[in-house]
Amino acid sequence: MEMKHDMQHEHNVHVKNDEQDHSSMEDEEIKDWKMKLIGSLIFAIPILIFMVLDRIFGITLFNEEIVILSLLILGFPIVFIFGFSTIKSGFRGLFSFYFNMDSLIALGTIIAYLTGIFALFGKVADYSGISAMIMAIFIIGKYIEAKARGRATQEIKKLLELGAKNARILRGKEELEIQIEEIKIGDIMIVKPGEKIPTDGIVVRGESSVDESMITGESMPVEKKAKNNVIGATINQDGILYVKAIKIGKDTFLSHIIKLVEEAQGTKVPIQKLADKITSVFVPAILVLAVLSFIGWLIISGDLSRSIGVAVAVLVIACPCSLGLAVPIALTVGSGIGAKSGILIRRGEAIQTMKEVKIIVFDKTGTITKGKPEVTDIYSKVKENYLLEVASSLENLSEHPIARAIVKKANESGIKKFKEVKKFSILRGRGIEGSIGKNKIIIGNSGLMHLNKISLKGFEQNINKLESEGKTLMIAAENGKVLGLMAVADALKEDSINAISELNKQGYRTVMLTGDNKRTAEAIAKEVGIKEVIANVLPEDKAKKVEELQKRAMVAFVGDGINDAPALKQSNVGIAIGTGTDIAIEAGDLVLANGSLTSVLHSINLSKKTFRKIKQNLFWAFAYNVIAIPVAVLGLLHPIIAEAAMALSSITVVTNANLLRKAKI
Amino acid sequence: MKKVIMEIQGMHCASCASNVEKSLSKTQGVKNARVNMIAKKGYADIEDSVSEEDLRKAVRRAGYNIAKINYE
């Protein structure tokens, strides 16, 4: 036991370090570029003045040798000190054949710088000032890009900082203030109004409302009382809660979300395949092109200086970064925005597929409806309490929401003790059976009664009436005779009607898939605005029905991740919904921490908007390279302009992705 | 087969990520290598025969360093 605690403790510390590393690594990078930037500017400004005066206005302050020498001296720290890491990484890439972006910049600047030295002795134009300017602009560009990239990950950083730092726990009768890492499973935490719930747990005492918006995106506070689960990092609002810790460290819901989002941001979107392929051969291709341009220009013009200038321009204008960043940066921003409102994009592929989806299939129970049914009507041949006692004794052994409703009703009617049930079994999608004493009990839908040849005579009218109201019927039979029936109804979620009407308006075909009977299903569908209903589907057949629909068009399936996992997997885009901690994260392509259908709508809109950004970014990146490289080869671009254009292209891609935040989801 | 998550230092451009991916993929027993340049993390499925040193070597070969390795 002692050791287990120690291990858990260690684990926690570990997780914390991870989180610190993440943001500090990024801040470090920005700080690093900033220092190089300031250093370079100190030397770049006099170079710029020199160059403008001398090369553009032709004002000669000193003789040529002195100008060149000054440029070489002023340029040296920029290229070789502040640009050292770039030069080093670039040449390392060249020699190891793992070419990178730096290889191009390193080669471009070194060649340009060397011309200055040659110019002192021979008849080559001096590009040393240009060399320094290229490196300075490269550094400025990198700094701006690193900052913009930092912004792109701001949402995940916020998630990382969301966790509570301290906890107040009860040890014996003593209240102790401890660090979050010191919490052990089973500790009772005291959470006062306005405080963060330190870690995932279950309420043992107290009543309060809890703001879960930071995790689920659900803005309404959620009422919590004993036996309710609470999520770490959510905020207790008005009462004192005593919460038993059940998950700590990397097992918490928040940690899961963070891991999921980070991992998803690294997944590939199919559309980026081409860009990735180009990125991987881009640098060597540009090296070859630069050599060819140099040779070509030398042959055609015979002007060595001009040829060097063109080659340098080609080297520095090519930008694998904009291509390589186009997709991941947009995905990062999109998934970050989603995470903030409880929408988790698990696979990048899903957002591309979402664009093709034409049919959206909804599970009924727990998706369109609240999934917490209540017993609304009872028709009994025997005493009502006898029916409830028999029914609840069996239903108490089932986890099904309808079973829970019946047990709840029995409790409310004063039945506190259940009878012993033997030979209990669940008939999936149909009902349950078991024995109480010598009596064989079957509870389920009318199909199950037919199957067991149990006559429903005398109940037909009631059955028809209740079913036409969209209620689910549970018929209880004892030894082949009907005892009575209980109607269970499940209310719509508040926003289901709005969300579905919006999806209909957007042109999606909405379909409802349910194990319920046709009449119940149709009543709900009509209320919520869904035109197509597929009813009487056994849980194991849901995936098959989705497959049939896929013959017509791409299908997105919306359901809870626990019962609907196969259908979620079968569909082109699986949207798994849940409430709070009750989500099966592994099941969907998109996972929604709050179960409202508005979130489903938002997740679909977010996917489409993110994908549009991805396409824009790819377009700009491709267009930039396709236009800029030939222009440089033709000798129409001054190397400094080329470098500035290059820096701008990758900044544009990152900034454009950040603009996704402005989009209305 | 197990999943490995690596924190990689020194990557600052898209071709860097592509290089690390390439180098990891070339390592025997490493599958499904993918690198997220923005989060500076690399993910891969590895066989039990692949050691931590193998992974470090692969990343170093492309010119970068592994700051931390987590297994799952």
Side-chain angles (χ1 to χ4, degrees):
Chain A
M1 194 62 194
E2 197 58 46
M3 213 177 88
K4 200 176 158 207
H5 278 160
D6 270 331
M7 272 167 60
Q8 274 160 356
H9 179 80
E10 224 167 81
H11 224 122
N12 273 329
V13 175
H14 200 70
V15 167
K16 202 182 167 205
N17 284 342
D18 265 7
E19 291 166 8
Q20 283 169 346
D21 281 357
H22 183 89
S23 55
S24 68
M25 234 158 95
E26 202 158 63
D27 292 344
E28 201 82 349
E29 191 190 345
I30 296 174
K31 224 170 83 191
D32 188 41
W33 284 117
K34 192 175 181 178
M35 263 169 46
K36 289 176 185 168
L37 169 102
I38 295 168
S40 315
L41 282 183
I42 293 172
F43 295 93
I45 290 166
I47 292 178
L48 196 65
I49 294 169
F50 252 122
M51 283 171 55
V52 169
L53 287 181
D54 188 85
R55 302 284 146 86
I56 297 176
F57 295 107
I59 302 167
T60 316
L61 297 173
F62 312 101
N63 71 31
E64 186 68 15
E65 274 81 28
I66 292 182
V67 171
I68 295 174
L69 209 56
S70 326
L71 288 177
L72 280 173
I73 291 167
L74 286 169
F76 185 84
I78 300 181
V79 177
F80 295 99
I81 297 175
F82 305 117
F84 178 71
S85 63
T86 306
I87 302 271
K88 190 179 126 194
S89 139
F91 276 94
R92 189 177 181 165
L94 284 175
F95 295 130
S96 65
F97 285 88
Y98 280 100
F99 306 109
N100 60 35
M101 166 98 213
D102 293 341
S103 309
L104 298 174
I105 300 297
L107 216 53
T109 48
I110 297 275
I111 291 170
Y113 191 86
L114 288 178
T115 59
I117 295 173
F118 292 133
L120 285 175
F121 308 104
K123 278 209 174 97
V124 182
D126 164 32
Y127 284 114
S128 60
I130 289 170
S131 161
M133 291 309 290
I134 289 173
M135 187 57 90
I137 293 170
F138 176 77
I139 290 169
I140 294 168
K142 276 287 160 191
Y143 169 69
I144 296 173
E145 190 198 308
K147 276 199 86 155
R149 263 195 279 124
R151 262 203 304 283
T153 53
Q154 70 184 34
E155 279 88 5
I156 186 139
K157 262 179 263 161
K158 272 187 204 144
L159 275 181
L160 290 172
E161 288 158 8
L162 203 57
K165 310 273 178 289
N166 304 307
R168 189 179 297 116
I169 62 161
L170 204 58
R171 286 260 162 89
K173 288 211 162 158
E174 214 182 338
E175 273 187 31
L176 272 177
E177 182 103 17
I178 58 168
Q179 298 277 305
I180 187 79
E181 297 81 21
E182 295 169 47
I183 291 186
K184 298 179 190 112
I185 289 174
D187 278 346
I188 304 295
M189 310 177 280
I190 307 160
V191 193
K192 294 185 175 161
E195 288 182 345
K196 259 183 201 171
I197 294 171
T199 193
D200 295 359
I202 185 162
V203 178
V204 289
R205 192 144 55 90
E207 242 173 83
S208 181
S209 56
V210 173
D211 177 6
E212 297 187 336
S213 59
M214 60 294 292
I215 303 271
T216 65
E218 172 64 60
S219 54
M220 288 290 286
V222 186
E223 295 301 321
K224 299 286 181 187
K225 54 180 195 289
K227 287 187 183 167
N228 286 155
N229 284 314
V230 290
I231 308 171
T234 58
I235 294 172
N236 181 21
Q237 301 228 298
D238 39 29
I240 294 187
L241 288 175
Y242 290 79
V243 180
K244 188 162 112 187
I246 51 176
K247 274 178 186 154
I248 54 170
K250 69 160 195 169
D251 297 322
T252 63
F253 191 59
L254 180 64
S255 298
H256 272 141
I257 289 185
I258 291 166
K259 198 175 133 252
L260 186 91
V261 173
E262 273 194 341
E263 215 176 316
Q265 289 177 342
T267 61
K268 306 269 180 194
V269 184
I271 198 176
Q272 83 187 96
K273 259 198 193 123
L274 180 64
D276 275 355
K277 226 175 233 164
I278 294 176
T279 309
S280 70
V281 296
F282 193 85
V283 178
I286 294 300
L287 289 174
V288 172
L289 191 65
V291 172
L292 290 178
S293 307
F294 175 76
I295 295 170
W297 270 87
L298 200 59
I299 293 170
I300 294 164
S301 70
D303 183 344
L304 178 65
S305 296
R306 189 76 214 271
S307 310
I308 292 173
V310 170
V312 170
V314 171
L315 283 174
V316 301
I317 197 156
C319 184
C321 269
S322 57
L323 265 181
L325 272 180
V327 178
I329 198 79
L331 186 59
T332 299
V333 176
S335 63
I337 295 171
K340 208 170 63 180
S341 43
I343 298 167
L344 310 173
I345 298 172
R346 266 196 67 227
R347 292 191 308 128
E349 201 183 331
I351 61 169
Q352 178 165 355
T353 316
M354 196 65 233
K355 196 182 59 89
E356 312 290 334
V357 165
K358 296 275 184 292
I359 302 172
I360 302 178
V361 182
F362 293 88
D363 168 53
K364 182 178 76 74
T365 311
T367 302
I368 294 173
T369 63
K370 284 180 180 157
K372 278 184 196 135
E374 290 166 5
V375 174
T376 53
D377 310 75
I378 297 177
Y379 292 97
S380 184
K381 256 189 182 170
V382 291
K383 263 194 187 152
E384 196 176 298
N385 265 22
Y386 180 72
L387 170 68
L388 278 172
E389 189 178 20
V390 169
S392 59
S393 295
L394 267 80
E395 299 285 11
N396 192 39
L397 303 172
S398 162
E399 285 293 303
H400 197 280
I402 289 176
R404 268 183 250 157
I406 291 173
V407 173
K408 196 170 157 229
K409 178 73 186 174
N411 283 336
E412 284 164 7
S413 308
I415 298 161
K416 301 285 176 207
K417 266 189 171 168
F418 302 114
K419 297 211 161 142
E420 196 191 346
V421 177
K422 285 184 178 145
K423 292 186 213 152
F424 175 78
S425 72
I426 293 174
L427 315 160
R428 283 185 79 198
R430 297 189 186 93
I432 52 177
E433 62 178 17
S435 300
I436 298 177
K438 281 181 181 159
N439 296 331
K440 187 172 184 253
I441 315 288
I442 300 174
I443 304 171
N445 57 21
S446 44
L448 185 65
M449 299 301 134
H450 289 307
L451 208 68
N452 285 281
K453 302 198 172 68
I454 295 168
S455 160
L456 294 173
K457 222 169 173 188
F459 286 98
E460 292 99 333
Q461 221 181 338
N462 289 331
I463 292 174
N464 284 344
K465 177 180 162 284
L466 293 170
E467 283 189 343
S468 70
E469 288 167 3
K471 289 171 179 169
T472 304
L473 282 183
M474 283 288 119
I475 304 163
E478 189 180 56
N479 299 325
K481 292 235 164 59
V482 175
L483 287 176
L485 44 95
M486 293 155 285
V488 176
D490 182 9
L492 290 182
K493 287 178 187 166
E494 283 80 7
D495 60 346
S496 291
I497 295 176
N498 273 339
I500 286 178
S501 96
E502 183 58 37
L503 288 171
N504 285 334
K505 224 184 286 168
Q506 288 188 15
Y508 288 109
R509 269 205 24 223
T510 48
V511 178
M512 187 164 95
L513 196 59
T514 175
D516 260 356
N517 66 70
K518 207 166 161 122
R519 229 179 295 172
T520 311
E522 270 169 358
I524 297 271
K526 201 174 154 201
E527 199 179 343
V528 83
I530 290 180
K531 296 205 177 60
E532 195 171 334
V533 176
I534 306 173
N536 292 318
V537 185
L538 293 173
E540 57 266 35
D541 290 338
K542 278 187 180 172
K544 222 189 286 166
K545 290 287 170 196
V546 168
E547 201 180 341
E548 280 167 30
L549 287 167
Q550 281 173 317
K551 284 177 194 148
R552 290 192 266 169
M554 292 265 214
V555 172
F557 182 87
V558 186
D560 74 69
I562 299 149
N563 301 316
D564 299 329
L568 285 166
K569 216 166 179 184
Q570 172 64 37
S571 61
N572 301 94
V573 179
I575 304 178
I577 62 166
T579 40
T581 44
D582 297 332
I583 54 173
I585 277 177
E586 295 301 316
D589 301 310
L590 302 174
V591 179
L592 309 181
N594 91 61
S596 75
L597 286 198
T598 308
S599 287
V600 174
L601 177 68
H602 287 172
S603 72
I604 290 168
N605 288 345
L606 176 68
S607 300
K608 288 201 288 193
K609 292 245 159 77
T610 306
F611 190 64
R612 205 173 304 154
K613 262 303 163 224
I614 285 175
K615 278 207 302 198
Q616 276 173 16
N617 266 355
L618 278 176
F619 172 79
W620 289 117
F622 271 109
Y624 166 78
N625 280 298
V626 165
I627 294 167
I629 295 171
V631 173
V633 171
L634 293 174
L636 300 172
L637 274 182
H638 188 278
I640 292 181
I641 308 283
E643 176 55 35
M646 192 285 284
L648 270 178
S649 78
S650 52
I651 293 167
T652 309
V653 162
V654 180
T655 308
N656 187 38
N658 275 326
L659 283 179
L660 191 55
R661 262 187 215 94
K662 296 240 162 72
K664 228 182 137 223
I665 303 299
Chain B
M1 265 313 188
K2 59 187 166 181
K3 217 168 123 189
V4 60
I5 304 172
M6 295 155 277
E7 275 177 41
I8 300 169
Q9 282 174 330
M11 293 192 299
H12 52 270
C13 77
S15 47
C16 303
S18 157
N19 280 339
V20 177
E21 249 169 49
K22 232 187 290 179
S23 183
L24 280 171
S25 304
K26 270 190 212 158
T27 310
Q28 188 136 38
V30 177
K31 290 206 175 71
N32 237 336
R34 41 184 217 288
V35 175
N36 180 356
M37 184 249 160
I38 298 154
K40 311 211 180 315
K41 283 193 174 154
Y43 303 87
D45 300 325
I46 58 167
E47 272 160 27
D48 296 333
S49 59
V50 179
S51 72
E52 203 171 302
E53 194 44 41
D54 292 335
L55 295 171
R56 287 185 189 280
K57 224 188 269 168
V59 173
R60 220 178 295 135
R61 186 167 55 200
Y64 313 93
N65 284 312
I66 291 184
K68 190 180 288 159
I69 298 186
N70 287 319
Y71 294 99
E72 207 168 279

